[in-house]
Amino acid sequence: MEVISVSVDSHFVHKMWNDYELSKMVEGGIPFHMASDQAGNLGRAYGVYDEEQGIELRGRFIIDPDGVIQAMEVLTPPVGRRIDETIRQIKAFQHVRATNGAEATPAGWQPGEITLKPGPDLVGNVWKVWNPSMEK
Amino acid sequence: MAGCARVTGTVAAEESAAPPPEMTTQKEVPMSVARVGKKAPEFEAPAYYRGEFTTVKLSDFAGKWVLLCFYPGDFTFV
């Protein structure tokens, strides 16, 4: 798993932010690539560059080993993200990929919980194996 | 790279979407828009990584899961 963060700040400012603030929150400093997109080119390609404000929105993309986007989420600036939901989604996509698409994960799925095997026998029968109260 | 040049990331333009030369006002014209189930737009950008200045390229991580996160700006609060 690789993480890449992107903002319109220069990589020089990324260094200052890491050294002066983030390294006080995260021991050893930021362990992933902090990319610079001063002209907004990456943000435009991913549909998250705000032309009026000249900033990136809070866009989050899960990209699989084939380079395909499996999930995306975009928030306006004032609300922060929830990291454990992102991790949950990554684990679910990894599980689906490991089964070659033979299994799907129901709402709120966590590793170890039951999965669904899409096929003729499951039509109309999901209620037998899953219901909303199973969501943790 | 000139000392004070403003460096920035670039996106690999799609070949099929290349406009005729007279319409090219920008050097990079990313025509692809990110969608789930579609290939993530390729990019290359200057980066800070564990004490070093480097270049990060999406395709360098082919074969791995990648989490790509955009945010408004350094030294902001959320």
Side-chain angles (χ1 to χ4, degrees):
Chain A
M1 186 83 217
E2 293 286 338
V3 176
I4 305 170
S5 67
V6 187
S7 78
V8 296
D9 302 282
S10 72
H11 49 321
F12 307 119
V13 177
H14 288 336
K15 173 175 162 48
M16 296 308 276
W17 192 29
N18 176 73
D19 294 357
Y20 284 85
E21 187 169 46
L22 299 179
S23 57
K24 292 169 182 143
M25 301 179 192
V26 180
E27 208 184 327
I30 295 300
F32 50 76
H33 288 85
M34 302 173 76
S36 169
D37 184 30
Q38 291 190 82
N41 292 327
L42 276 58
R44 276 187 208 95
Y46 282 80
V48 297
Y49 184 70
D50 184 319
E51 300 281 351
E52 285 171 21
Q53 300 183 74
I55 54 147
E56 321 276 25
L57 303 171
R58 293 187 196 279
R60 178 221 74 182
F61 299 83
I62 298 172
I63 302 170
D64 76 13
D66 296 322
V68 172
I69 299 171
Q70 292 294 345
M72 57 194 275
E73 172 193 77
V74 185
L75 307 181
T76 53
V79 172
R81 294 171 259 235
R82 187 167 174 91
I83 304 305
D84 55 7
E85 172 57 11
T86 297
I87 294 169
R88 190 195 71 79
Q89 289 181 19
I90 292 167
K91 286 177 176 169
F93 281 113
Q94 288 177 335
H95 182 87
V96 169
R97 187 180 172 91
T99 66
N100 229 343
E103 295 180 20
T105 65
W109 181 85
Q110 300 283 356
E113 293 180 358
I114 69 131
T115 56
L116 303 175
K117 282 98 183 160
D121 295 341
L122 192 61
V123 177
N125 287 322
V126 174
W127 65 275
K128 290 179 182 169
V129 291
W130 187 86
N131 65 69
S133 70
M134 293 164 67
E135 208 182 314
K136 289 186 183 105
Chain B
M1 191 203 307
C4 293
R6 193 163 176 259
V7 294
T8 190
T10 55
V11 172
E14 275 183 71
E15 285 157 39
S16 59
E22 68 271 17
M23 286 176 67
T24 311
T25 51
Q26 274 182 296
K27 204 175 121 211
E28 300 292 337
V29 186
M31 299 304 287
S32 58
V33 169
R35 287 198 186 174
V36 291
K38 302 284 181 202
K39 201 89 174 168
E42 167 68 342
F43 62 81
E44 190 173 337
Y48 175 70
Y49 180 57
R50 292 182 177 278
E52 305 287 336
F53 294 128
T54 179
T55 298
V56 64
K57 195 174 171 185
L58 182 61
S59 56
D60 286 346
F61 303 128
K64 289 180 164 182
W65 288 85
V66 174
L67 182 65
L68 179 64
C69 285
F70 293 83
Y71 62 97
D74 292 355
F75 293 106
T76 56
F77 310 106
V78 176

